[in-house]
Amino acid sequence: MPTSSWQEQVADKRRRLQESLPKEWLITPPPDDQLNRMDVPETCGLLTPRELEITNKADVAVVLQKLASAEWSSVEVTTAFCKRAVIAHQLTNCLAEVLFDRALRRATELDGYLAKHGSVIGPLHGLPVSLKDQFPIAGLETTMGYAAWIGKVATEDAALVQLLDDSGAVLYVRTNVPQTLMWGETHNNVFGRTVHPLNINHTPGGSSGGESALIAQHGSLLGVGSDIGGSIRVPSHFCGIFGFKPSSYRLPSYGIVNSLEGQEIIPTSIGPLSTSLTGIKLFMQAILSKEPWRKDPNTIRASWDANAYALKDRGDGQKLCFGILSSDGIMTPQPPVQRALEETKQALLRAGHAFIDWKPLKHAELVANARSIWLSDGGADYKEALVTGEHLINSMDPEADPMDVPVFRRPRDPLSAFQLWKLSKERSDLRKEYLDYWESTAAMTGTGRPVDALICPVAPYPAVRHGQTRSSFYTIPWNTLNYPSLVIPVTRVNPSIDTKPTRSEFLSADDEAVYNMYDPEHCSGFPIGLQIVGQAYQEEAVLAVGEIVMAALRTQ
Amino acid sequence: MPTSSWQEQVADKRRRLQESLPKEWLITPPPDDQLNRMDVPETCGLLTPRELEITNKADVAVVLQKLASAEWSSVEVTTAFCKRAVIAHQLTNCLAEVLFDRALRRATELDGYLAKHGSVIGPLHGLPVSLKDQFPIAGLETTMGYAAWIGKVATEDAALVQLLDDSGAVLYVRTNVPQTLMWGETHNNVFGRTVHPLNINHTPGGSSGGESALIAQHGSLLGVGSDIGGSIRVPSHFCGIFGFKPSSYRLPSYGIVNSLEGQEIIPTSIGPLSTSLTGIKLFMQAILSKEPWRKDPNTIRASWDANAYALKDRGDGQKLCFGILSSDGIMTPQPPVQRALEETKQALLRAGHAFIDWKPLKHAELVANARSIWLSDGGADYKEALVTGEHLINSMDPEADPMDVPVFRRPRDPLSAFQLWKLSKERSDLRKEYLDYWESTAAMTGTGRPVDALICPVAPYPAVRHGQTRSSFYTIPWNTLNYPSLVIPVTRVNPSIDTKPTRSEFLSADDEAVYNMYDPEHCSGFPIGLQIVGQAYQEEAVLAVGEIVMAALRTQ
């Protein structure tokens, strides 16, 4: 039994985190009124030109090539990213744990291995990889933002940690999450709030918001998050990076800590976030090459499929047809999101591809089904983690009374196992309807195939102020359906073209709120991403299509 | 609302089934004291020599070749199997529905197609395929043995039905099941009891017991069943045929009627039963070639893997190492089952393969976990189907008072959704332990690989008297673990060598009951099958290994 209060334990944990940051890497914090901190890592003077050269690279393939050729040592690359991560943390509070000793030991080993054998140890040789605070590493605590989990030291690595080690990755930080993980923002009672590097009054998203803030600042080029309703995709969109939610059980989640453990009807997928699409692809290839089903009994036995990635069954990707979802009929996307869709559409047309307008099919029902399933425990899962007296966070709004429970956050009555089975059946029926709908588009695409992928918003807005995210209506349907979804950065808010239209009719109260929230000047320069969505288990095709879309956007 | 009692509805359904059997195919029933009816189809005089030649074939590949070459027409093959199925039904009560008009229409179409195009319409062209009474076909009732479901006419085909149609299969009968499906025997209040063709006082197993009785009598060469705890495998073993339970979601189950619908933690797998291993393999290849994921949203996107089937990563199967599980430590197998294991072991050694003794790891826990999950609704699922006043069958023993509930069949208290999540987590942890155990055998096999497959009993006894089956301790663990399992027929009870040993110490009350039950003379000639078990999603490898084991057994 802990002899101290949860507040004391939290204070101690924060102190230990602070002390684990090398003193020489501490900077003078920017003034509170410097809301945009994006350029601080470059300008603070702490990073050497060489370290800036290394960490400013966005393309993970390039970094891996330089590591493999020993042009850069893993020790210097790791040191650079440790340093930049510490700077990023001081600007956005994005870290939960640092593992610098372990990282530098491993980097040294890897440099030695390369020197001795003349070849890399694995596909991610020498690359620092960050982890959301859900991946236990033997000998370390994983608190996942719960005071009660302070001091819980893991005896074993999560399956993914072992596979990353085997791949030659260097694990060096774990990143912050929201309490319970079931939020699109990032704040908990242990580590506090993670903020957006472009404006500290805004959220970097969640639940993988520590990752997105860190990666946006190039404190990491590749990290691992998890996504049950948008938790990789919303932060990727908010922060202008790439993020990928694979289908369930394509990547190994065994051994992670999580909310709603054992809930498998619409489960958590783990997946990568990165500064580059090569980072996403190389991560998927690396993990799948390590046969994750030998470590995680629930991971399906499906290697990287080179033919699917080459789009062999889609005319090698020469002429694709996309479904473009401009609105889910619940919340109209704000103007910059609409422009991102329009620019993508035009770029694809210019590149010789086609599209059809994609009407949403029962998206509200897909979201309602997921929420009913996730809340079916009546809050019992959270309660088990709040035994210390730590309060449940009921709002992400810094001004809100944390004890005041808004309607949408009220716990529901617990369901019976039998009721849960009924919801599972409902989910399968919704999946079947969507599948039939998708397959039926073969008659309209002109390619002889159903649409090759959907393109749609990630959220109806760019990164919002803390506490202002709405339900993730644009991301949850793909979890309910088990569809892989890739987020790509498409554009940035430009107030001179993304002007606010006059509107007086709204689809819903949420729609009106999203409209009212939009202020082009305020979010000027904020990133806008889009989702590229495939059918279940089409991970390789979605990544290949993502490359095609990125190429089309680059040449516009 | 039905205006008649459930008993009247059942009487009407039975009358309709009886009337759907062509009068000219009715035989004089054998006397009640003729317990063994296996030779009646051959001797009753109803089948022509040509029909006997056709239906006596066991090898599905041979039949398909004769159909493809038009040496046999689909109409004559279908007619022969319709006829033999009706005979088999009169001997064992194995059918629930006949579809002869539909079948002959389809056979005629297929013959026409072949004549016109000179090629087959699909991989199962012209072959009659039987279905367990779980696969709805548009326009037909599917009662699954529930009185309340009489008159429920399907508006759509189950996904598998569509794929079989596309493959050129001819669907002609549906076969009997136990009420609730959750039994290793076959009896319900609508159609009554299915009996074993070798001894009508014995069960053909369950829940796919209509299939196994029909196929054992060559009233079908290939049928489709389902298995949540042994429901394909136990009947296959009891009846001396092949049966295959794939991993979950490898084959499409969307649109079937089922018990415990929406229960996905340890779900039902559909799979084939056949007179031949070629039947099993060709069924798997046929369905997978039709991309079942385009019809069933939960089927994983995994085509037939020719490399896995060729055992490319196992030295082309030249030298394999098996784990042989002789006893689960709960119920000692009866002597003929032990002999089947020993003969298989010796045959494999002679063929150049190796084995290690496989100690069971937490098999009782694997079974307990599954039962807790399946019973977590507190019986609510059954109650929904028993609204007519039809009673729940509490024992398969014909002498038992059907209203008397034995201890093991008593409903449990319903669990909450949260408790179900905990059981799901427990299942994953059990799976992980078993995976690690299996992987650890790489150090002992001498091949550098973990064991290539396990070989173990299907049940500790051959087909038992009605009401005498015990919990399926030898089959359920592979459902909990999601491992594919193939049943092959290995030998038959031989009283002169399978003598009853003297034993006075027992592992459990069940173990003692299994010992006491054994009477070599009584079950003389009964088939003994064994399971060949692979790791999750290793369907192709398990079938290839099955062929190797069968070849070794043939040359002993």
Side-chain angles (χ1 to χ4, degrees):
Chain A
M1 284 293 288
T3 53
S4 52
S5 70
W6 74 266
Q7 291 93 340
E8 288 169 322
Q9 300 228 3
V10 162
D12 181 60
K13 178 70 192 166
R14 288 188 183 197
R15 182 187 53 73
R16 286 189 282 131
L17 173 59
Q18 187 60 29
E19 286 178 358
S20 66
L21 308 180
K23 299 274 173 301
E24 61 277 20
W25 295 351
L26 299 184
I27 58 171
T28 309
D32 284 352
D33 64 353
Q34 185 186 331
L35 302 180
N36 183 340
R37 292 159 177 209
M38 196 59 112
D39 63 351
V40 177
E42 292 243 23
T43 58
C44 67
L46 210 63
L47 295 168
T48 66
R50 173 82 163 181
E51 287 167 344
L52 281 172
E53 184 202 346
I54 290 169
T55 56
N56 279 343
K57 282 276 176 295
D59 189 336
V60 169
V62 169
V63 176
L64 283 169
Q65 188 277 323
K66 289 185 185 289
L67 283 161
S69 66
E71 183 181 337
W72 293 348
S73 74
S74 180
V75 165
E76 68 175 335
V77 172
T78 299
T79 304
F81 279 102
C82 289
K83 212 164 158 182
R84 190 153 179 161
V86 169
I87 298 168
H89 177 63
Q90 295 171 79
L91 301 169
T92 57
N93 194 42
C94 55
L95 300 184
E97 208 81 39
V98 304
L99 298 55
F100 296 155
D101 290 349
R102 184 187 196 277
L104 286 166
R105 263 200 317 276
R106 181 64 176 156
T108 306
E109 276 170 23
L110 291 166
D111 287 337
Y113 183 96
L114 182 61
K116 185 170 169 197
H117 296 89
S119 62
V120 297
I121 207 166
L124 301 177
H125 185 104
L127 183 76
V129 171
S130 50
L131 297 171
K132 188 176 182 179
D133 198 25
Q134 273 189 279
F135 294 89
I137 296 176
L140 294 178
E141 290 167 282
T142 310
T143 67
M144 210 180 82
Y146 280 131
W149 295 5
I150 295 172
K152 272 177 77 170
V153 173
T155 54
E156 276 197 277
D157 294 341
L160 184 82
V161 167
Q162 297 172 31
L163 298 169
L164 283 171
D165 270 341
D166 291 350
S167 301
V170 176
L171 306 176
Y172 67 118
V173 286
R174 276 205 317 242
T175 56
N176 204 21
V177 298
Q179 187 199 52
T180 78
L181 304 183
M182 301 301 280
W183 285 106
E185 308 190 20
T186 298
H187 170 51
N188 64 64
N189 292 323
V190 176
F191 299 110
R193 187 183 305 274
T194 302
V195 301
H196 198 295
L198 282 173
N199 186 325
I200 61 171
N201 292 328
H202 285 237
T203 176
S207 63
S208 310
E211 279 301 321
S212 63
L214 177 68
I215 294 171
Q217 298 171 90
H218 280 233
S220 169
L221 301 183
L222 177 62
V224 193
S226 69
D227 188 318
I228 197 173
S231 282
I232 287 171
R233 290 163 290 160
V234 170
S236 297
H237 158 58
F238 280 6
C239 289
I241 62 176
F242 295 85
F244 187 46
K245 177 202 85 68
S247 311
S248 310
Y249 307 119
R250 189 77 204 268
L251 292 180
S253 57
Y254 192 85
I256 68 172
V257 292
N258 205 354
S259 278
L260 322 185
E261 252 195 318
Q263 187 288 106
E264 296 189 2
I265 303 175
I266 301 174
T268 301
S269 286
I270 66 166
L273 302 90
S274 181
T275 47
S276 66
L277 193 41
T278 59
I280 303 290
K281 184 185 80 171
L282 290 167
F283 175 87
M284 293 299 294
Q285 290 179 325
I287 299 304
L288 293 177
S289 77
K290 294 292 168 190
E291 304 187 315
W293 46 86
R294 292 187 186 270
K295 301 277 186 204
D296 176 0
N298 293 328
T299 296
I300 61 171
R301 189 176 292 267
S303 306
W304 177 260
D305 184 336
N307 284 327
Y309 177 64
L311 302 174
K312 287 286 176 208
D313 55 351
R314 300 161 194 255
D316 301 333
Q318 293 303 306
K319 181 175 171 20
L320 300 174
C321 182
F322 293 84
I324 297 193
L325 175 85
S326 303
S327 168
D328 64 3
I330 301 158
M331 287 182 277
T332 308
Q334 292 177 352
V337 179
Q338 293 187 30
R339 180 171 57 80
L341 284 162
E342 188 57 32
E343 288 180 6
T344 305
K345 197 188 284 190
Q346 296 307 325
L348 289 169
L349 286 177
R350 277 194 304 278
H353 304 292
F355 70 90
I356 61 173
D357 287 324
W358 189 263
K359 302 275 171 287
L361 178 71
K362 297 196 175 176
H363 281 219
E365 289 86 340
L366 288 164
V367 172
N369 175 260
R371 288 179 58 82
S372 299
I373 289 166
W374 297 333
L375 299 173
S376 64
D377 68 336
D381 178 75
Y382 303 162
K383 273 186 210 114
E384 281 196 345
L386 296 172
V387 283
T388 54
E390 175 194 355
H391 64 270
L392 186 67
I393 294 177
N394 290 306
S395 170
M396 286 284 160
D397 184 344
E399 310 295 314
D401 176 351
M403 308 307 271
D404 187 30
V405 187
V407 176
F408 75 93
R409 195 74 186 176
R410 277 185 200 146
R412 298 200 187 166
D413 287 338
L415 302 187
S416 69
F418 187 56
Q419 287 170 311
L420 191 58
W421 292 358
K422 297 274 188 196
L423 288 168
S424 172
K425 172 74 166 65
E426 176 183 284
R427 183 224 57 188
S428 288
D429 289 340
L430 287 165
R431 286 184 178 179
K432 171 65 172 168
E433 263 191 272
Y434 221 95
L435 173 62
D436 287 348
Y437 173 41
W438 188 310
E439 291 290 316
S440 75
T441 61
M444 315 170 211
T445 55
T447 61
R449 305 183 301 269
V451 293
D452 294 296
L454 304 185
I455 295 180
C456 72
V458 187
Y461 35 59
V464 294
R465 282 176 174 268
H466 299 298
Q468 298 304 308
T469 49
R470 304 268 144 182
S471 269
S472 301
F473 273 93
Y474 281 93
T475 46
I476 293 174
W478 316 128
N479 298 85
T480 311
L481 294 169
N482 195 28
Y483 288 178
S485 171
L486 171 72
V487 171
I488 57 169
V490 169
T491 188
R492 288 179 179 269
V493 178
N494 181 341
S496 66
I497 46 177
D498 300 323
T499 53
K500 187 168 184 168
T502 306
R503 277 180 73 194
S504 56
E505 290 188 15
F506 297 100
L507 303 168
S508 62
D510 272 336
D511 187 40
E512 185 166 4
V514 166
Y515 171 78
N516 289 335
M517 196 190 295
Y518 183 56
D519 176 347
E521 291 299 337
H522 184 81
C523 58
S524 175
F526 276 30
I528 304 291
L530 292 176
Q531 293 184 84
I532 299 174
V533 179
Q535 288 179 297
Y537 307 110
Q538 288 186 330
E539 281 71 33
E540 290 86 346
V542 166
L543 296 182
V545 168
E547 290 174 11
I548 288 170
V549 176
M550 288 305 293
L553 285 167
R554 272 195 301 270
T555 58
Q556 71 186 324
Chain B
M1 284 293 287
T3 53
S4 52
S5 70
W6 73 266
Q7 291 93 339
E8 287 168 323
Q9 300 228 2
V10 161
D12 181 60
K13 178 69 191 167
R14 288 189 183 198
R15 183 187 53 72
R16 285 189 284 131
L17 173 59
Q18 187 61 30
E19 286 177 359
S20 67
L21 309 180
K23 299 275 174 300
E24 61 278 18
W25 294 351
L26 300 183
I27 57 169
T28 310
D32 284 351
D33 63 352
Q34 185 186 331
L35 303 179
N36 183 339
R37 292 159 177 207
M38 196 60 112
D39 63 352
V40 176
E42 292 245 23
T43 57
C44 68
L46 210 64
L47 295 167
T48 65
R50 172 82 164 186
E51 286 166 345
L52 281 172
E53 185 202 343
I54 290 169
T55 56
N56 279 344
K57 283 275 176 295
D59 188 335
V60 168
V62 169
V63 176
L64 283 169
Q65 187 277 322
K66 287 183 186 289
L67 283 161
S69 66
E71 183 182 336
W72 292 348
S73 74
S74 180
V75 166
E76 67 175 334
V77 170
T78 300
T79 304
F81 279 103
C82 289
K83 211 163 158 183
R84 190 155 179 158
V86 169
I87 298 168
H89 177 61
Q90 295 172 78
L91 301 169
T92 57
N93 193 41
C94 56
L95 299 184
E97 209 81 38
V98 304
L99 297 59
F100 296 155
D101 291 349
R102 184 186 196 276
L104 287 166
R105 265 200 317 276
R106 182 63 175 156
T108 306
E109 276 170 26
L110 292 166
D111 286 337
Y113 184 96
L114 183 61
K116 184 171 170 195
H117 297 89
S119 63
V120 296
I121 207 166
L124 300 177
H125 185 103
L127 183 75
V129 170
S130 51
L131 297 171
K132 189 177 181 178
D133 198 25
Q134 274 190 277
F135 295 90
I137 296 177
L140 294 177
E141 291 167 281
T142 310
T143 66
M144 209 181 82
Y146 280 130
W149 294 5
I150 294 172
K152 274 178 75 170
V153 174
T155 53
E156 276 199 277
D157 293 341
L160 183 82
V161 167
Q162 296 171 31
L163 298 168
L164 283 171
D165 269 342
D166 291 351
S167 301
V170 176
L171 305 175
Y172 67 118
V173 287
R174 278 205 316 243
T175 56
N176 203 23
V177 298
Q179 187 200 52
T180 78
L181 304 182
M182 301 300 279
W183 284 106
E185 309 190 20
T186 296
H187 170 52
N188 64 64
N189 293 323
V190 177
F191 299 109
R193 188 184 303 275
T194 302
V195 300
H196 199 295
L198 281 172
N199 185 327
I200 61 172
N201 291 328
H202 286 239
T203 176
S207 63
S208 311
E211 279 301 321
S212 63
L214 177 69
I215 294 172
Q217 298 172 91
H218 280 235
S220 169
L221 301 183
L222 177 61
V224 193
S226 69
D227 188 317
I228 197 173
S231 283
I232 287 171
R233 291 163 290 159
V234 170
S236 296
H237 158 58
F238 280 7
C239 290
I241 63 177
F242 295 85
F244 187 45
K245 178 202 84 69
S247 311
S248 309
Y249 306 120
R250 190 77 204 268
L251 291 181
S253 57
Y254 191 84
I256 68 170
V257 292
N258 205 355
S259 278
L260 322 184
E261 253 195 319
Q263 187 289 107
E264 296 189 3
I265 304 175
I266 301 174
T268 301
S269 287
I270 66 166
L273 303 91
S274 181
T275 47
S276 66
L277 192 42
T278 58
I280 303 290
K281 185 186 80 173
L282 291 168
F283 175 87
M284 294 298 295
Q285 290 179 325
I287 300 304
L288 294 176
S289 76
K290 294 291 166 189
E291 304 186 317
W293 46 87
R294 292 188 186 270
K295 301 278 186 201
D296 176 0
N298 294 327
T299 295
I300 62 171
R301 189 175 292 266
S303 306
W304 177 261
D305 184 336
N307 284 328
Y309 177 65
L311 301 174
K312 288 285 178 210
D313 54 351
R314 301 160 195 254
D316 301 332
Q318 293 303 305
K319 181 175 171 16
L320 300 174
C321 182
F322 294 84
I324 297 195
L325 175 83
S326 303
S327 168
D328 64 3
I330 300 157
M331 286 182 277
T332 309
Q334 292 177 352
V337 178
Q338 294 187 29
R339 179 170 58 80
L341 284 162
E342 188 56 34
E343 287 180 6
T344 304
K345 196 189 282 189
Q346 296 307 325
L348 288 169
L349 286 176
R350 276 194 305 276
H353 305 292
F355 71 89
I356 62 173
D357 287 323
W358 190 265
K359 302 274 171 287
L361 178 71
K362 298 196 175 176
H363 281 219
E365 289 86 341
L366 287 163
V367 172
N369 175 260
R371 289 178 58 82
S372 299
I373 290 166
W374 297 332
L375 298 173
S376 64
D377 68 335
D381 177 75
Y382 303 162
K383 273 187 209 109
E384 283 197 342
L386 295 172
V387 282
T388 54
E390 176 194 355
H391 63 270
L392 186 67
I393 294 176
N394 290 305
S395 169
M396 286 285 159
D397 184 344
E399 310 295 314
D401 176 350
M403 308 307 272
D404 187 30
V405 187
V407 176
F408 75 93
R409 195 73 186 175
R410 279 187 199 143
R412 298 199 187 167
D413 287 339
L415 301 187
S416 69
F418 188 56
Q419 288 172 310
L420 192 58
W421 293 358
K422 297 273 187 195
L423 288 169
S424 173
K425 172 75 165 67
E426 176 184 283
R427 184 224 55 187
S428 287
D429 290 339
L430 287 165
R431 285 185 178 179
K432 171 66 170 166
E433 264 192 90
Y434 221 96
L435 173 62
D436 287 348
Y437 173 41
W438 189 308
E439 291 291 316
S440 75
T441 62
M444 315 169 211
T445 55
T447 61
R449 305 182 301 269
V451 292
D452 293 294
L454 304 185
I455 295 181
C456 72
V458 187
Y461 35 60
V464 295
R465 281 176 175 268
H466 299 298
Q468 298 303 308
T469 50
R470 306 268 143 181
S471 271
S472 300
F473 273 93
Y474 281 94
T475 47
I476 292 173
W478 316 127
N479 297 85
T480 310
L481 294 167
N482 196 27
Y483 288 178
S485 171
L486 171 70
V487 172
I488 56 169
V490 170
T491 188
R492 289 180 178 267
V493 179
N494 181 342
S496 66
I497 47 177
D498 299 324
T499 54
K500 187 167 184 167
T502 306
R503 277 180 73 195
S504 55
E505 290 188 14
F506 297 100
L507 302 168
S508 63
D510 272 336
D511 187 41
E512 186 167 3
V514 166
Y515 171 78
N516 288 334
M517 196 190 296
Y518 182 57
D519 176 347
E521 292 299 336
H522 184 80
C523 59
S524 175
F526 275 31
I528 304 290
L530 293 176
Q531 292 184 86
I532 299 174
V533 179
Q535 288 178 296
Y537 306 110
Q538 290 186 330
E539 281 70 33
E540 290 86 345
V542 166
L543 296 183
V545 168
E547 290 173 11
I548 288 171
V549 176
M550 287 306 292
L553 285 167
R554 273 195 299 271
T555 57
Q556 71 186 324

